[in-house]
Amino acid sequence: MTKHKNHHTALHEKDGISRPESVSVTSIANITQLRKKQPTADELVKGILEHNKTALSRAITLVESTNPTHLEKAMAVINQCLPYANKSVRIGITGVPGVGKSTFIEAFGKHLTSLGRKVAVLAVDPSSSMSHGSILGDKTRMEELVKDENAYIRPSASGDTLGGVARKTREAIILCEACGFDTIIIETVGVGQSETAVHSMVDFFLLLKIAGAGDELQGIKRGIMEMADLIVINKADGDNIKKAKLAKTEFNRALHLFPAKSSGWQPKVSTCSAITHDGIADVWQVVNEYFEMVKDNHYFDAKRADQNRYWLTETINEQLKSSFYAREDITPLLEQYKKAVQNNELSPFAAAQFLLEKYFEK
Amino acid sequence: MTKHKNHHTALHEKDGISRPESVSVTSIANITQLRKKQPTADELVKGILEHNKTALSRAITLVESTNPTHLEKAMAVINQCLPYANKSVRIGITGVPGVGKSTFIEAFGKHLTSLGRKVAVLAVDPSSSMSHGSILGDKTRMEELVKDENAYIRPSASGDTLGGVARKTREAIILCEACGFDTIIIETVGVGQSETAVHSMVDFFLLLKIAGAGDELQGIKRGIMEMADLIVINKADGDNIKKAKLAKTEFNRALHLFPAKSSGWQPKVSTCSAITHDGIADVWQVVNEYFEMVKDNHYFDAKRADQNRYWLTETINEQLKSSFYAREDITPLLEQYKKAVQNNELSPFAAAQFLLEKYFEK
């Protein structure tokens, strides 16, 4: 920061007539004051532990910052918050666009705050940097929940890889928990790779669907159905009720064909209407049953410890990869070898050997 | 080998009566000659292209060798075989122990050779190093197929990680194809991580099941059902026929709930009996329908090119990881940090940062 302070040089300016200031002195004073106002790590932690949402938002912004100087401060805040975190239920909610995710989360969230719970809604959407946020980009989507003093809504971190977004969301969870939120909802779109990431940061995974003409199931990534602890068929209202009930029977039958979960939990299917609020309370009841069971059989703690270890190695692996794939001498070579491998001119293994030798030789 | 040759010592033996040889001179000569007989890379390639199974076996042994001096020779053989490979269909077969995998593969393989096809059966079973081979460890399991001159059976490479076994199997596929085998069957047990690896080296994925009292579906890893292009319900004979037909209906219904495959293929369900051979021909017909479709819509070639690129980056990523996790100064630190992270004393991200700094600092 004081890089140029004590540099030695033979060049000196003679004292002469002082130049007029090119910027207003008052402006500088203001900026300096503003800078001073940036809270310290300790101040942020204090604010968070006092359940101050402004402090929480600032801390999350710090965690999301790509400015490397913010990294250390962010890590300090998180590590100080850690002892106060982890006392919540973390629920992942996914579903393709059109199933009514935000209406559902609004109705579900409002139900929870009406029961006295404090609800934080975060999102994982790595596409948001390009698409300007396909989910939660606009807080107005959950108008009522956003006004609720016992709710906190935060759009997805953006401008980053899935690994980056996932890391930031995981740390935002810790901050929200330290800030007194006892129910964390992580929203994601059911079309990309993000579900696996979300699955490994939540305790309970809810898949939102609608009943329809068969194709309502298209577009969701394979493997997601098998991750679900609960499938909720939304829009079960009006003419749709019958269809929704039918879909429920079908999904129930399908879920029984799946392998047993290591939690010991048999995945369930519910119907609800986020508009009429029918079935919303039932969804929460199922979630509660799950948590009772996994806290009883200690799966809850075991899974969280697992997840922590997973994210340690995941972060290491991600960064090992990015240090390789970002290296300027590697990138053009990799493209060349990819083509050769694709055209069966070279075995993938031989190509990898060449590239790794190059990488480690420096 | 000649470690003690030029050591300097003050002790000398006086020349005296020469000791009698402790090993027979003729034996040494024989061993030397045998060593000389190790075929060169060119000789192996020549043998393989002449469809010589002994040359094929020797080349696969070379690929499987953990001796680093064999690596270069193995790569040379593979790269010379590459232009002759890739002209086959590659079928992955999985199923938990007890569904009758080997009996099925024997019946299926015999049916294929009776149609004039040349069948190679390989296995991916990383557990085999510990369990001494839960699959294909014993060639006698497929007594008839092993005697068939148009079949070649090779047990899983062992004593290695999944990454290692997968790499070796992929290269064995190339060698088998260059040796004239037009149908490659990759067998794996449906309980571990190996299915994903196998899925990314085959064109078609077949899941073997049996009908039963519900729990027959337990034990198979989640996600595998969604990978399947065909589910075959085996042991559909005698009293089991009715149950198998019922299971077929159920699976068909479940499969329709799954997301569409990018191949455009709608997964099918068949029943068969590997004992009576009922339905075996139908299985092959379904496989054929699949290949007709994906060769027509060019999915076949696109997937193979994808798989080659996948294995290039997969090999790189595996080796980047192993260079980190195997480093002596990292291993004990990692254990320490894992514990801290598990007990929420440190965030996984902060722990990863510390470890990576340590790793890259050297």
Side-chain angles (χ1 to χ4, degrees), chain A residues 5-6 73 110 207 217 223 315 354 357:
Chain A
K5 207 175 166 186
N6 294 315
K73 195 171 161 185
K110 286 299 288 178
L207 172 59
L217 296 151
T315 310
F354 289 127
E357 264 169 40

Side-chain angles (χ1 to χ4, degrees), chain B residues 54-328:
Chain B
T54 313
L56 174 62
S57 288
R58 280 190 161 186
I60 296 181
T61 305
L62 195 67
V63 161
E64 288 175 355
S65 167
T66 48
N67 182 337
T69 60
H70 291 161
L71 189 66
E72 210 174 322
K73 194 170 162 188
M75 288 209 281
V77 173
I78 291 153
N79 282 328
Q80 286 182 64
C81 282
L82 262 180
Y84 307 94
N86 276 296
K87 294 170 195 75
S88 74
V89 296
R90 301 170 182 167
I91 302 167
I93 297 183
T94 194
V96 294
V99 296
K101 269 200 307 299
S102 38
T103 336
F104 174 79
I105 292 174
E106 168 138 292
F108 189 56
K110 285 299 288 179
H111 178 69
L112 295 182
T113 57
S114 81
L115 298 172
R117 298 194 71 96
K118 293 192 71 186
V119 180
V121 182
L122 306 170
V124 172
D125 180 14
S127 68
S128 63
S129 52
M130 262 123 62
S131 65
H132 296 287
S134 56
I135 53 172
L136 278 179
D138 187 0
K139 279 195 184 186
T140 57
R141 287 186 322 139
M142 299 182 194
E143 269 184 7
E144 287 207 38
L145 199 58
V146 88
K147 284 183 280 181
D148 193 320
E149 65 165 318
N150 287 316
Y152 176 77
I153 300 180
R154 177 90 186 187
S156 178
S158 69
D160 212 331
T161 59
L162 172 58
V165 173
R167 193 267 292 175
K168 290 165 184 180
T169 310
R170 255 191 71 87
E171 308 209 315
I173 293 177
I174 292 166
L175 300 176
C176 288
E177 289 173 348
C179 194
F181 290 96
D182 54 25
T183 316
I184 315 288
I185 293 176
I186 315 285
E187 179 185 7
T188 184
V189 278
V191 287
Q193 298 255 301
S194 3
E195 288 67 36
T196 322
V198 170
H199 187 245
S200 48
M201 58 175 88
V202 299
D203 309 308
F204 186 89
F205 201 69
L206 189 158
L207 172 59
L208 206 63
K209 288 193 164 281
I210 44 167
D215 60 336
E216 85 276 20
L217 297 151
Q218 313 299 334
I220 198 132
K221 231 194 123 223
R222 8 199 80 240
I224 291 180
M225 242 176 80
E226 294 193 36
M227 278 181 196
D229 295 300
L230 171 63
I231 295 178
V232 176
I233 298 154
N234 191 20
K235 304 194 182 177
D237 37 40
D239 295 344
N240 262 321
I241 294 182
K242 215 178 145 188
K243 266 201 283 180
K245 278 193 181 155
L246 222 102
K248 181 181 167 174
T249 315
E250 273 190 36
F251 278 116
N252 252 326
R253 197 150 39 195
L255 286 177
H256 278 278
L257 294 175
F258 284 147
K261 294 206 152 204
S262 44
S263 55
W265 173 255
Q266 172 61 43
K268 307 244 179 310
V269 189
S270 295
T271 60
C272 83
S273 164
I275 310 275
T276 66
H277 292 208
D278 279 337
I280 294 285
D282 298 337
V283 169
W284 176 239
Q285 202 184 311
V286 172
V287 175
N288 261 327
E289 276 169 30
Y290 174 85
F291 279 102
E292 256 174 50
M293 188 184 125
V294 294
K295 282 184 177 172
D296 250 28
N297 69 13
H298 304 292
Y299 179 79
F300 180 84
D301 290 326
K303 189 179 181 186
R304 286 217 171 167
D306 264 4
Q307 289 179 334
N308 280 348
R309 284 194 304 269
Y310 170 83
W311 283 102
L312 169 58
T313 49
E314 192 61 16
T315 309
I316 291 171
N317 298 347
E318 276 301 313
Q319 299 208 8
L320 289 173
K321 281 193 257 174
S322 64
S323 90
F324 176 90
Y325 292 103
R327 235 184 52 188
E328 278 178 19

